């Protein structure tokens, strides 16, 4: 198993609109942790509706996390995402969370002027997990990364970053909220790593037997193919 903590550029982005479709699908957000330095947010995931004297309003907040996998080698066969969190309000019919694919997190804009730099980065057509519950008890909550997520992870192994978005499951499902789901999320800027988001990775290093008397640990490639990508040599 290998643990990879989120980079310190993790960030939340908020959007508020009078129409659900505009709130969900706009590239532009209206509020952001501009310096990407919050340790936690009581609105890290927010999925809400209100009907005040000023008219109806929909609210969404998504959190983005980036993981540097350039130092990992081998093939990731399983991955689990852990987030230190607490569900503070759950009055919608669906109060679950979900992970989705995301483009890379842009550099910190240093204010709200470039909040669109993050809000629309999520790929709402590509879930990287099933829906999962975050309880009303503060602590780590986890969810398995699905096959699409594993494909994205392995494309970044040894060379780059894997980015994902944590959002309300109703946001992903394109179902307008009728009440409030509010989840507290902790980020990598929290002191130490005791509450940092992280990935737990199961890694296969490939072929594990000797080849012509040489231990697999001392073999990088067989006929130009990395051992991490070799299951058998001549059927063994």
């Amino acid at each position: 198993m290998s643990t990879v903590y989120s980079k310190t550029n993790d960030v939340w982005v908020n959007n508020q609109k009078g129409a659900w479709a505009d709130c969900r699908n706009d590239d532009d957000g209206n509020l952001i942790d501009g310096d990407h330095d919050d340790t936690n947010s009581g609105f890290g995931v927010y999925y809400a509706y209100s009907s005040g004297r000023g008219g109806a309003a929909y609210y969404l907040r998504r959190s983005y996390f980036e993981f540097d996998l350039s130092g990992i080698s081998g093939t990731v066969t399983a991955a689990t995402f852990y987030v230190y969190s607490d569900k503070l309000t759950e009055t919608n019919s669906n109060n679950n969370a979900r992970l989705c694919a995301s483009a890379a997190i842009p550099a910190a804009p240093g204010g709200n002027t470039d909040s669109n730099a993050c809000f629309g980065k999520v790929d709402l057509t590509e879930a990287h997990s099933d829906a999962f519950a975050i309880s009303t008890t503060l602590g780590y909550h986890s969810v398995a990364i699905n096959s699409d997520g594993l494909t994205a992870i392995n494309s970044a192994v040894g060379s780059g970053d894997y980015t994902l978005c944590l959002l309300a499951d109703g946001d992903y499902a394109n179902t307008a909220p009728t009440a409030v789901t509010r989840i507290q999320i902790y980020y990598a800027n929290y002191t130490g790593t005791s509450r940092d988001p992280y990935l737990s990775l199961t890694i296969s290093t490939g072929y594990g037997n000797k080849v012509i008397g040489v231990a697999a640990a001392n073999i990088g490639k067989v006929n130009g193919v990395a051992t991490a990508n070799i299951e058998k040599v001549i059927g063994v």
Side-chain angles (χ1 to χ4, degrees), residues 34-231:
D35 294 318
H36 297 206
D37 60 358
D38 279 3
T39 61
N40 75 95
S41 170
F43 293 79
V45 172
Y46 194 45
Y47 170 65
Y49 169 80
S50 68
S51 56
R53 289 189 299 175
Y58 293 93
Y59 304 86
L60 287 175
R61 188 172 291 192
R62 301 163 178 165
S63 288
Y64 291 82
F65 305 91
E66 203 160 75
F67 300 89
D68 180 4
L69 303 182
S70 62
I72 301 295
S73 61
T75 299
V76 176
T77 58
T80 303
F81 172 73
Y82 288 82
V83 61
Y84 204 87
S85 49
D86 183 11
K87 188 182 295 172
L88 302 178
T89 309
E90 51 175 353
T91 54
N92 277 299
S93 59
N94 179 359
N95 295 286
N96 290 328
R98 188 179 288 262
L99 301 176
C100 280
S102 173
I105 299 174
N112 297 330
T113 57
D114 196 23
S115 58
N116 64 320
C118 285
F119 189 79
K121 292 296 184 183
V122 62
D123 183 350
L124 293 169
T125 69
E126 186 177 317
H128 278 190
S129 78
D130 292 337
F132 69 104
I134 290 176
S135 76
T136 55
T137 300
L138 180 63
Y140 271 113
H141 297 86
S142 64
V143 63
I145 303 296
N146 65 19
S147 59
D148 287 335
L150 289 178
T151 297
I153 285 173
N154 280 302
S155 70
V157 164
S159 61
D161 296 328
Y162 168 60
T163 309
L164 55 77
C165 176
L166 175 63
L167 69 165
D169 185 51
D171 182 2
Y172 164 76
N174 195 17
T175 303
T178 57
V180 176
T181 301
R182 181 164 72 94
I183 302 173
Q184 182 179 24
I185 301 295
Y186 279 75
Y187 302 97
N189 280 296
Y190 187 82
T191 302
T193 58
S194 64
R195 299 190 179 188
D196 284 7
Y198 69 91
L199 291 175
S200 179
L201 307 176
T202 300
I203 301 172
S204 171
T205 55
Y207 190 70
N209 297 314
K210 292 181 179 180
V211 177
I212 316 176
V214 180
N218 298 319
I219 300 171
K221 295 181 179 180
V222 177
N223 288 342
V225 179
T227 55
N229 298 318
I230 298 172
E231 182 179 358

